Amino acid sequence: MIAETGHYALVLALALALLQSVLPIWGARTRDAALMGLAGPLAYGQLAFVALSFAALTHAYVTSDFSVVNVVENSHSAKPLIYKISGVWGNHEGSLLLWVLILTLFSALVAFFGKNLPDRLRADVLGVQAMISVAFLLFVLLTSNPFARLDPAPMEGQDLNPLLQDPGLAIHPPLLYVGYVGFSMAFSFAVAALIEGKVDAAWARWVRPWTLGAWLFLTLGIAMGSYWAYYELGWGGFWFWDPVENASLMPWLSGTALLHSAVVMEKREALKVWTVLLALLTFALSLLGTFLVRSGVLTSVHAFAVDPARGVAILIILIVFVGGSLALYALRAPTLKQGGMFAPVSREGALVLNNLFLTAATAAVFVGTLYPLALEAMTGEKISVGPPFFNNTFGPLMLPVMLVMPFAPLLAWKRGDAARAARAMVYAVGVAVVATALVAGFARGGPTLAPLGVGLALFAITGAFAELVERSKLFRAPFAESVRRLRGAPSSTWGSALAHAGMGVTLLGVVAATAWPSEAVVALKPGQSVSISGYDLTFEGVSQRPGPNYASTIAALTVRKDGAVVRRLEPSRRLYAARQMDLTEASIATFGLSQLYASMGEARGDDATALRVTYKPLVTLIWFGAVIMALGGGLSLADRRLRVGAPRRAAKPVPVSAHPAPAE
């Protein structure tokens, strides 16, 4: 009965979404306050019914209700509780239900926090958001019903894909979906503004918090997915340019460009047409990611579905929303008034340059990801576009972004002083030059350009705080005054500095981990050792250990440094009986910012076991940098000046007569 309740709740949510997609927009056109006022209650009701449906599916998983097909195909009674819960979204149907839940949550948040938005804009935004909900609710109900019953019900389920039975995969999809769906708010605001034919600085202020929140969660989601691939897939890589990985990177890149463009629009009312276009394209890329994961057009460890019919349905959604919004954009864009002019050397100019290279990098990833699919569809020829293409195109396009990034905050709006900005960056340039020289002199092996990569990363890290140094007059004013100035700096300034520094930290980790790793692939018998980067690893033997829904074969390794035991590694291979699937589990030891990584291969007939041991210097900086970026985004979001809606203008006060009339 609970499963049927969840299904009917989705039907009721669809009915409310249909009403929300029509009545408020019609009310905005006819200036009917009552119809516009329905947007909020309808959004709350829609969220309540979708949340009820999601709770019903979660209950089916937790109680192992094997009369529900979705539970049978993706759960097992012996599975740990955390994976029963994460199994709700570890499949196509459940993940779409989570997508719709987050979508309705954002609608409700706009209804709650956007009460100071103009009534017409609020009604239009919630109406457009409801249209997206209608599309996905129809998709769930017609093609991907998570509550389909099975009669008779089996005694046991088929278990969740073992690759997904991991804490990282319990967290990664929700974070990623909040990012994907969060960009729907920028889309809805853009379409609403185009319907009204009005885009101004206030619009940029309204849209920026939602974009920043989506960007923050997408950053964390991509980082968590990267770390999961690093330790779970057993190959020790953190990014493989997999098409589904690229599908999450593209909206992140365009979303980053949108954030910077919205700043220019808010401050100077410039780049209106470009900012609106970025808002449309960023959500379009989020929908593209959904299509790639669920269409069956590619094979990936990240893919959820291989049903072409579902892929066609998502493609129709993609065409309708992207095509419709771009048609509206083509109609309205020529009528939008342009903002103020600015000199090439200015903060606006630097941010425009940032936008150009970020969008070019997005285009490079887009072409590399979709070209093989398009070629196969048209000619039947299969080709693969791998890391060499992306490294040789994406890297050079991001180089100018890293170089210009620290300079932009030092330039004034409208017309900047390049010489003054250069003087403020002298210390950052000095750090970069010294670091490059030291690394080139002392590093052993590695690519020729790797020392320059280290220098560039340190330039970005130190240069990120140049604006704070200038604001505080550090070393040019009494220390107490500098501290006071730093404490008084807006949180968005601190957030921007941290986000930019986080980019440099991630780059430093990428350069070090890819340029100077050490690896040994050996077959050891008990008692034998292997040395790598100053560590001695002794193989102690193999043991068996049962798990809740798997059996483990574990290789024990004792790690010594200068003769002293410093750590114990236990890489393993797990056999999941329900799916008869063998999975490698790496074991990782962290030393400072570097890691020693061990994975286990097949046992040999002579009692030897194949092992791969890798030492990756500074590899943790890759994900630490992403956390710093997200922290920077959070600080910017907390800025008291950055509100969900610009405040309404107060009514003009009525002059009071100096000689009030006598009371009657």
Side-chain angles (χ1 to χ4, degrees):
M1 184 62 186
I2 293 179
E4 282 71 27
T5 300
H7 184 261
Y8 294 143
L10 283 181
V11 175
L12 292 173
L14 174 62
L16 293 182
L18 285 167
L19 292 175
Q20 185 184 330
S21 65
V22 174
L23 297 181
I25 294 179
W26 179 254
R29 307 285 75 74
T30 60
R31 300 187 182 276
D32 188 326
L35 289 179
M36 289 191 288
L38 288 175
L42 288 171
Y44 299 144
Q46 192 185 155
L47 172 62
F49 283 121
V50 175
L52 176 61
S53 179
F54 190 82
L57 185 59
T58 303
H59 178 270
Y61 269 85
V62 171
T63 59
S64 296
D65 183 358
F66 295 125
S67 67
V68 177
V69 176
N70 189 262
V71 180
V72 173
E73 293 177 347
N74 299 283
S75 193
H76 191 279
S77 60
K79 192 169 62 172
L81 179 61
I82 183 176
Y83 302 134
K84 288 183 178 180
I85 295 174
S86 65
V88 175
W89 55 80
N91 59 88
H92 170 76
E93 294 82 2
S95 67
L96 275 174
L97 186 57
L98 177 62
W99 175 286
V100 175
L101 176 65
I102 297 171
L103 191 63
T104 56
L105 174 62
F106 271 101
S107 291
L109 288 175
V110 171
F112 184 79
F113 289 108
K115 293 175 182 177
N116 54 351
L117 292 170
D119 293 336
R120 286 168 61 93
L121 178 64
R122 180 170 176 264
D124 287 338
V125 168
L126 289 174
V128 174
Q129 194 75 0
M131 291 179 188
I132 303 172
S133 295
V134 168
F136 278 95
L137 282 167
L138 280 172
F139 180 69
V140 171
L141 288 169
L142 298 179
T143 72
S144 309
N145 179 15
F147 298 104
R149 289 287 195 178
L150 187 63
D151 187 26
M155 295 297 294
E156 192 54 85
Q158 300 171 14
D159 209 354
L160 180 66
N161 185 338
L163 284 171
L164 305 181
Q165 295 186 40
D166 181 84
L169 261 291
I171 303 170
H172 163 60
L175 291 175
L176 206 62
Y177 289 178
V178 172
Y180 277 160
V181 180
F183 285 129
S184 70
M185 291 312 311
F187 176 86
S188 296
F189 269 97
V191 172
L194 290 172
I195 292 173
E196 290 292 320
K198 181 182 179 182
V199 181
D200 54 16
W203 178 87
R205 171 163 291 194
W206 289 318
V207 79
R208 198 151 69 94
W210 301 105
T211 304
L212 185 57
W215 179 89
L216 187 161
F217 280 98
L218 187 57
T219 301
L220 291 175
I222 291 173
M224 178 59 73
S226 168
Y227 192 62
W228 166 79
Y230 169 72
Y231 69 78
E232 183 66 21
L233 299 185
W235 54 283
F238 52 85
W239 196 264
F240 194 63
W241 296 106
D242 178 280
V244 180
E245 291 175 338
N246 296 347
S248 64
L249 179 62
M250 287 186 286
W252 186 88
L253 291 168
S254 61
T256 305
L258 173 60
L259 277 176
H260 291 85
S261 182
V263 171
V264 176
M265 186 174 165
E266 181 183 345
K267 298 294 184 182
R268 297 277 299 136
E269 290 210 34
L271 305 183
K272 290 182 181 180
V273 175
W274 175 245
T275 304
V276 171
L277 180 60
L278 277 177
L280 300 178
L281 293 181
T282 299
F283 183 58
L285 291 172
S286 296
L287 290 178
L288 177 65
T290 306
F291 170 72
L292 290 176
V293 173
R294 293 170 173 81
S295 62
V297 301
L298 55 86
T299 301
S300 166
V301 296
H302 308 81
F304 276 127
V306 291
D307 185 352
R310 290 172 174 175
V312 170
I314 296 179
L315 185 59
I316 292 172
I317 294 174
L318 183 64
I319 291 172
V320 168
F321 281 98
V322 177
S325 63
L326 290 180
L328 180 61
Y329 173 82
L331 181 66
R332 291 288 198 178
T335 66
L336 299 179
K337 294 181 180 179
Q338 293 300 318
M341 302 297 291
F342 53 87
V345 179
S346 62
R347 188 174 299 192
E348 297 98 319
L351 293 175
V352 167
L353 187 65
N354 158 289
N355 266 229
L356 290 174
F357 282 102
L358 282 173
T359 51
T362 305
V365 178
F366 180 87
V367 171
T369 303
L370 294 187
Y371 175 72
L373 303 178
L375 183 66
E376 183 179 356
M378 290 186 294
T379 67
E381 181 183 355
K382 291 187 177 182
I383 66 167
S384 62
V385 176
F389 168 82
F390 293 104
N391 293 338
N392 292 327
T393 55
F394 180 80
L397 287 170
M398 291 300 292
L399 176 62
V401 174
M402 301 297 294
L403 287 171
V404 173
M405 187 171 65
F407 282 98
L410 297 170
L411 296 171
W413 294 104
K414 194 172 182 180
R415 184 178 298 276
D417 187 341
R420 181 176 176 273
R423 286 195 297 271
M425 291 296 297
V426 166
Y427 75 97
V429 174
V431 169
V433 170
V434 171
T436 301
L438 289 175
V439 173
F442 292 98
R444 298 178 181 178
T448 305
L449 296 179
L452 290 176
V454 173
L456 178 62
L458 292 175
F459 171 76
I461 295 169
T462 52
F465 297 98
E467 183 186 11
L468 287 168
V469 171
E470 286 296 296
R471 277 177 175 265
S472 66
K473 296 185 177 180
L474 194 63
F475 309 124
R476 292 178 289 133
F479 183 73
E481 181 183 347
S482 296
V483 171
R484 180 183 60 80
R485 286 173 172 269
L486 285 174
R487 292 179 62 182
S491 61
S492 60
T493 303
W494 281 100
S496 175
L498 280 177
H500 292 169
M503 283 283 290
V505 171
T506 293
L507 176 61
L508 182 59
V510 169
V511 172
T514 56
W516 299 290
S518 300
E519 183 176 78
V521 179
V522 293
L524 299 180
K525 295 181 179 180
Q528 291 183 333
S529 300
V530 61
S531 297
I532 184 170
S533 297
Y535 294 94
D536 299 312
L537 288 79
T538 302
F539 178 48
E540 306 295 346
V542 173
S543 61
Q544 306 294 322
R545 185 182 302 170
N549 59 332
Y550 59 83
S552 288
T553 301
I554 301 172
L557 292 165
T558 301
V559 183
R560 292 179 173 84
K561 178 79 170 178
D562 299 326
V565 176
V566 293
R567 205 64 57 88
R568 181 181 174 86
L569 294 176
E570 293 187 339
S572 65
R573 296 182 70 88
R574 294 179 179 178
L575 177 62
Y576 289 80
R579 293 205 174 209
Q580 286 298 301
M581 185 172 175
D582 191 33
L583 185 66
T584 299
E585 288 286 326
S587 183
I588 301 172
T590 302
F591 300 99
L593 298 174
S594 304
Q595 288 187 333
L596 196 60
Y597 180 105
S599 60
M600 179 183 178
E602 297 285 348
R604 300 198 330 188
D606 56 355
D607 293 331
T609 299
L611 297 164
R612 185 175 69 175
V613 182
T614 308
Y615 179 77
K616 292 184 175 291
L618 305 184
V619 69
T620 58
L621 291 181
I622 296 172
W623 306 289
F624 186 48
V627 172
I628 294 174
M629 281 188 267
L631 178 61
L635 279 176
S636 295
L637 198 57
D639 194 318
R640 63 182 181 274
R641 302 173 305 167
L642 188 63
R643 306 194 185 279
V644 171
R648 293 181 184 270
R649 291 184 178 180
K652 193 173 183 178
V654 178
V656 179
S657 173
H659 303 285
E664 294 183 358

mmCIF file of all heavy atoms in Angstrom, residues 129-157:
data_model
loop_
_atom_site.group_PDB
_atom_site.id
_atom_site.type_symbol
_atom_site.label_atom_id
_atom_site.label_comp_id
_atom_site.label_asym_id
_atom_site.label_seq_id
_atom_site.Cartn_x
_atom_site.Cartn_y
_atom_site.Cartn_z
ATOM 1 N N GLN A 129 9.691 27.073 -13.725
ATOM 2 C CA GLN A 129 10.225 25.963 -12.940
ATOM 3 C C GLN A 129 9.236 24.803 -12.917
ATOM 4 O O GLN A 129 9.628 23.630 -12.993
ATOM 5 C CB GLN A 129 10.526 26.456 -11.520
ATOM 6 C CG GLN A 129 11.383 25.513 -10.700
ATOM 7 C CD GLN A 129 12.844 25.514 -11.102
ATOM 8 O OE1 GLN A 129 13.245 26.231 -12.014
ATOM 9 N NE2 GLN A 129 13.652 24.730 -10.429
ATOM 10 N N ALA A 130 7.947 25.128 -12.828
ATOM 11 C CA ALA A 130 6.926 24.073 -12.830
ATOM 12 C C ALA A 130 6.858 23.358 -14.168
ATOM 13 O O ALA A 130 6.572 22.159 -14.224
ATOM 14 C CB ALA A 130 5.569 24.681 -12.486
ATOM 15 N N MET A 131 7.112 24.070 -15.260
ATOM 16 C CA MET A 131 7.134 23.410 -16.571
ATOM 17 C C MET A 131 8.209 22.328 -16.615
ATOM 18 O O MET A 131 7.998 21.242 -17.175
ATOM 19 C CB MET A 131 7.391 24.447 -17.664
ATOM 20 C CG MET A 131 6.259 25.426 -17.884
ATOM 21 S SD MET A 131 6.687 26.632 -19.175
ATOM 22 C CE MET A 131 5.312 27.772 -19.035
ATOM 23 N N ILE A 132 9.363 22.621 -16.028
ATOM 24 C CA ILE A 132 10.424 21.609 -15.972
ATOM 25 C C ILE A 132 9.963 20.428 -15.130
ATOM 26 O O ILE A 132 10.187 19.257 -15.480
ATOM 27 C CB ILE A 132 11.715 22.224 -15.400
ATOM 28 C CG1 ILE A 132 12.155 23.434 -16.234
ATOM 29 C CG2 ILE A 132 12.831 21.184 -15.362
ATOM 30 C CD1 ILE A 132 13.316 24.202 -15.629
ATOM 31 N N SER A 133 9.286 20.728 -14.003
ATOM 32 C CA SER A 133 8.770 19.653 -13.151
ATOM 33 C C SER A 133 7.764 18.793 -13.906
ATOM 34 O O SER A 133 7.766 17.563 -13.780
ATOM 35 C CB SER A 133 8.108 20.249 -11.903
ATOM 36 O OG SER A 133 9.038 20.924 -11.093
ATOM 37 N N VAL A 134 6.883 19.419 -14.683
ATOM 38 C CA VAL A 134 5.892 18.662 -15.468
ATOM 39 C C VAL A 134 6.590 17.683 -16.400
ATOM 40 O O VAL A 134 6.216 16.501 -16.490
ATOM 41 C CB VAL A 134 4.992 19.630 -16.270
ATOM 42 C CG1 VAL A 134 4.178 18.853 -17.309
ATOM 43 C CG2 VAL A 134 4.063 20.391 -15.347
ATOM 44 N N ALA A 135 7.624 18.158 -17.084
ATOM 45 C CA ALA A 135 8.335 17.298 -18.038
ATOM 46 C C ALA A 135 8.936 16.087 -17.342
ATOM 47 O O ALA A 135 8.796 14.944 -17.809
ATOM 48 C CB ALA A 135 9.410 18.106 -18.750
ATOM 49 N N PHE A 136 9.600 16.306 -16.212
ATOM 50 C CA PHE A 136 10.272 15.182 -15.549
ATOM 51 C C PHE A 136 9.294 14.291 -14.792
ATOM 52 O O PHE A 136 9.512 13.076 -14.690
ATOM 53 C CB PHE A 136 11.377 15.713 -14.636
ATOM 54 C CG PHE A 136 12.647 16.013 -15.368
ATOM 55 C CD1 PHE A 136 12.915 17.292 -15.828
ATOM 56 C CD2 PHE A 136 13.568 15.017 -15.630
ATOM 57 C CE1 PHE A 136 14.080 17.573 -16.534
ATOM 58 C CE2 PHE A 136 14.737 15.283 -16.322
ATOM 59 C CZ PHE A 136 14.986 16.562 -16.781
ATOM 60 N N LEU A 137 8.215 14.860 -14.252
ATOM 61 C CA LEU A 137 7.213 14.011 -13.615
ATOM 62 C C LEU A 137 6.534 13.111 -14.645
ATOM 63 O O LEU A 137 6.288 11.930 -14.390
ATOM 64 C CB LEU A 137 6.182 14.883 -12.899
ATOM 65 C CG LEU A 137 6.627 15.456 -11.551
ATOM 66 C CD1 LEU A 137 5.674 16.545 -11.075
ATOM 67 C CD2 LEU A 137 6.731 14.353 -10.501
ATOM 68 N N LEU A 138 6.238 13.657 -15.825
ATOM 69 C CA LEU A 138 5.675 12.828 -16.901
ATOM 70 C C LEU A 138 6.659 11.744 -17.308
ATOM 71 O O LEU A 138 6.277 10.584 -17.545
ATOM 72 C CB LEU A 138 5.319 13.704 -18.104
ATOM 73 C CG LEU A 138 4.011 14.484 -18.031
ATOM 74 C CD1 LEU A 138 3.895 15.440 -19.212
ATOM 75 C CD2 LEU A 138 2.813 13.530 -18.001
ATOM 76 N N PHE A 139 7.931 12.099 -17.388
ATOM 77 C CA PHE A 139 8.958 11.122 -17.768
ATOM 78 C C PHE A 139 9.022 9.984 -16.751
ATOM 79 O O PHE A 139 9.094 8.799 -17.113
ATOM 80 C CB PHE A 139 10.304 11.829 -17.871
ATOM 81 C CG PHE A 139 11.434 10.911 -18.250
ATOM 82 C CD1 PHE A 139 11.517 10.344 -19.501
ATOM 83 C CD2 PHE A 139 12.440 10.621 -17.333
ATOM 84 C CE1 PHE A 139 12.550 9.496 -19.849
ATOM 85 C CE2 PHE A 139 13.481 9.783 -17.671
ATOM 86 C CZ PHE A 139 13.546 9.221 -18.934
ATOM 87 N N VAL A 140 8.969 10.335 -15.458
ATOM 88 C CA VAL A 140 9.007 9.309 -14.408
ATOM 89 C C VAL A 140 7.774 8.423 -14.484
ATOM 90 O O VAL A 140 7.870 7.187 -14.462
ATOM 91 C CB VAL A 140 9.131 9.966 -13.012
ATOM 92 C CG1 VAL A 140 8.946 8.917 -11.922
ATOM 93 C CG2 VAL A 140 10.483 10.639 -12.855
ATOM 94 N N LEU A 141 6.596 9.026 -14.570
ATOM 95 C CA LEU A 141 5.353 8.253 -14.526
ATOM 96 C C LEU A 141 5.144 7.396 -15.771
ATOM 97 O O LEU A 141 4.627 6.279 -15.683
ATOM 98 C CB LEU A 141 4.171 9.208 -14.349
ATOM 99 C CG LEU A 141 4.050 9.850 -12.960
ATOM 100 C CD1 LEU A 141 3.027 10.970 -12.975
ATOM 101 C CD2 LEU A 141 3.679 8.802 -11.910
ATOM 102 N N LEU A 142 5.570 7.884 -16.922
ATOM 103 C CA LEU A 142 5.291 7.169 -18.171
ATOM 104 C C LEU A 142 6.377 6.186 -18.568
ATOM 105 O O LEU A 142 6.092 5.180 -19.224
ATOM 106 C CB LEU A 142 5.062 8.173 -19.306
ATOM 107 C CG LEU A 142 3.869 9.124 -19.142
ATOM 108 C CD1 LEU A 142 3.774 10.072 -20.330
ATOM 109 C CD2 LEU A 142 2.568 8.338 -18.973
ATOM 110 N N THR A 143 7.628 6.449 -18.213
ATOM 111 C CA THR A 143 8.722 5.580 -18.680
ATOM 112 C C THR A 143 9.564 4.990 -17.555
ATOM 113 O O THR A 143 10.300 4.030 -17.795
ATOM 114 C CB THR A 143 9.671 6.349 -19.617
ATOM 115 O OG1 THR A 143 10.456 7.283 -18.859
ATOM 116 C CG2 THR A 143 8.902 7.098 -20.693
ATOM 117 N N SER A 144 9.506 5.552 -16.349
ATOM 118 C CA SER A 144 10.457 5.147 -15.306
ATOM 119 C C SER A 144 9.790 5.066 -13.946
ATOM 120 O O SER A 144 10.297 5.596 -12.956
ATOM 121 C CB SER A 144 11.623 6.150 -15.256
ATOM 122 O OG SER A 144 12.180 6.347 -16.528
ATOM 123 N N ASN A 145 8.649 4.388 -13.890
ATOM 124 C CA ASN A 145 7.905 4.288 -12.631
ATOM 125 C C ASN A 145 8.702 3.496 -11.599
ATOM 126 O O ASN A 145 8.964 2.309 -11.801
ATOM 127 C CB ASN A 145 6.557 3.604 -12.895
ATOM 128 C CG ASN A 145 5.736 3.453 -11.632
ATOM 129 O OD1 ASN A 145 6.014 4.073 -10.617
ATOM 130 N ND2 ASN A 145 4.709 2.613 -11.702
ATOM 131 N N PRO A 146 9.101 4.111 -10.472
ATOM 132 C CA PRO A 146 9.890 3.377 -9.476
ATOM 133 C C PRO A 146 9.045 2.478 -8.585
ATOM 134 O O PRO A 146 9.593 1.759 -7.737
ATOM 135 C CB PRO A 146 10.523 4.508 -8.657
ATOM 136 C CG PRO A 146 9.583 5.645 -8.770
ATOM 137 C CD PRO A 146 8.949 5.537 -10.122
ATOM 138 N N PHE A 147 7.706 2.498 -8.747
ATOM 139 C CA PHE A 147 6.828 1.756 -7.843
ATOM 140 C C PHE A 147 6.141 0.574 -8.522
ATOM 141 O O PHE A 147 5.159 0.040 -7.995
ATOM 142 C CB PHE A 147 5.775 2.699 -7.255
ATOM 143 C CG PHE A 147 6.357 3.814 -6.439
ATOM 144 C CD1 PHE A 147 6.419 5.104 -6.953
ATOM 145 C CD2 PHE A 147 6.866 3.575 -5.176
ATOM 146 C CE1 PHE A 147 6.964 6.148 -6.215
ATOM 147 C CE2 PHE A 147 7.414 4.607 -4.425
ATOM 148 C CZ PHE A 147 7.472 5.891 -4.939
ATOM 149 N N ALA A 148 6.626 0.149 -9.671
ATOM 150 C CA ALA A 148 6.019 -0.998 -10.354
ATOM 151 C C ALA A 148 6.127 -2.244 -9.473
ATOM 152 O O ALA A 148 7.152 -2.495 -8.838
ATOM 153 C CB ALA A 148 6.718 -1.234 -11.690
ATOM 154 N N ARG A 149 5.049 -3.004 -9.427
ATOM 155 C CA ARG A 149 4.978 -4.192 -8.573
ATOM 156 C C ARG A 149 5.395 -5.452 -9.330
ATOM 157 O O ARG A 149 5.364 -5.508 -10.566
ATOM 158 C CB ARG A 149 3.557 -4.365 -8.056
ATOM 159 C CG ARG A 149 3.122 -3.344 -7.013
ATOM 160 C CD ARG A 149 3.780 -3.578 -5.679
ATOM 161 N NE ARG A 149 3.098 -2.836 -4.612
ATOM 162 C CZ ARG A 149 3.441 -2.896 -3.348
ATOM 163 N NH1 ARG A 149 4.458 -3.657 -2.972
ATOM 164 N NH2 ARG A 149 2.779 -2.196 -2.442
ATOM 165 N N LEU A 150 5.781 -6.476 -8.560
ATOM 166 C CA LEU A 150 6.160 -7.783 -9.101
ATOM 167 C C LEU A 150 5.372 -8.852 -8.349
ATOM 168 O O LEU A 150 5.424 -8.907 -7.112
ATOM 169 C CB LEU A 150 7.668 -8.003 -8.931
ATOM 170 C CG LEU A 150 8.277 -9.239 -9.586
ATOM 171 C CD1 LEU A 150 8.110 -9.168 -11.096
ATOM 172 C CD2 LEU A 150 9.756 -9.347 -9.224
ATOM 173 N N ASP A 151 4.662 -9.681 -9.068
ATOM 174 C CA ASP A 151 3.855 -10.724 -8.440
ATOM 175 C C ASP A 151 4.053 -12.032 -9.194
ATOM 176 O O ASP A 151 3.804 -12.088 -10.419
ATOM 177 C CB ASP A 151 2.374 -10.306 -8.444
ATOM 178 C CG ASP A 151 1.490 -11.268 -7.665
ATOM 179 O OD1 ASP A 151 2.011 -11.926 -6.747
ATOM 180 O OD2 ASP A 151 0.281 -11.348 -7.976
ATOM 181 N N PRO A 152 4.535 -13.074 -8.521
ATOM 182 C CA PRO A 152 4.840 -13.119 -7.081
ATOM 183 C C PRO A 152 6.172 -12.460 -6.761
ATOM 184 O O PRO A 152 7.072 -12.404 -7.607
ATOM 185 C CB PRO A 152 4.882 -14.628 -6.801
ATOM 186 C CG PRO A 152 5.348 -15.221 -8.102
ATOM 187 C CD PRO A 152 4.721 -14.379 -9.175
ATOM 188 N N ALA A 153 6.299 -12.005 -5.530
ATOM 189 C CA ALA A 153 7.528 -11.337 -5.109
ATOM 190 C C ALA A 153 8.609 -12.361 -4.794
ATOM 191 O O ALA A 153 8.328 -13.388 -4.158
ATOM 192 C CB ALA A 153 7.253 -10.480 -3.878
ATOM 193 N N PRO A 154 9.835 -12.164 -5.255
ATOM 194 C CA PRO A 154 10.923 -13.097 -4.942
ATOM 195 C C PRO A 154 11.324 -12.993 -3.468
ATOM 196 O O PRO A 154 11.029 -12.002 -2.796
ATOM 197 C CB PRO A 154 12.056 -12.641 -5.870
ATOM 198 C CG PRO A 154 11.784 -11.195 -6.098
ATOM 199 C CD PRO A 154 10.291 -11.041 -6.101
ATOM 200 N N MET A 155 12.024 -13.983 -2.996
ATOM 201 C CA MET A 155 12.472 -13.986 -1.603
ATOM 202 C C MET A 155 13.674 -13.068 -1.388
ATOM 203 O O MET A 155 13.918 -12.611 -0.276
ATOM 204 C CB MET A 155 12.844 -15.420 -1.174
ATOM 205 C CG MET A 155 11.663 -16.366 -1.160
ATOM 206 S SD MET A 155 10.397 -15.886 0.049
ATOM 207 C CE MET A 155 11.314 -16.129 1.577
ATOM 208 N N GLU A 156 14.419 -12.826 -2.445
ATOM 209 C CA GLU A 156 15.646 -12.030 -2.300
ATOM 210 C C GLU A 156 15.846 -11.151 -3.523
ATOM 211 O O GLU A 156 15.360 -11.452 -4.616
ATOM 212 C CB GLU A 156 16.856 -12.967 -2.122
ATOM 213 C CG GLU A 156 18.130 -12.291 -1.679
ATOM 214 C CD GLU A 156 17.951 -11.468 -0.404
ATOM 215 O OE1 GLU A 156 18.046 -12.038 0.694
ATOM 216 O OE2 GLU A 156 17.699 -10.248 -0.544
ATOM 217 N N GLY A 157 16.588 -10.032 -3.321
ATOM 218 C CA GLY A 157 16.860 -9.115 -4.411
ATOM 219 C C GLY A 157 18.169 -9.425 -5.112
ATOM 220 O O GLY A 157 18.952 -10.277 -4.672
#
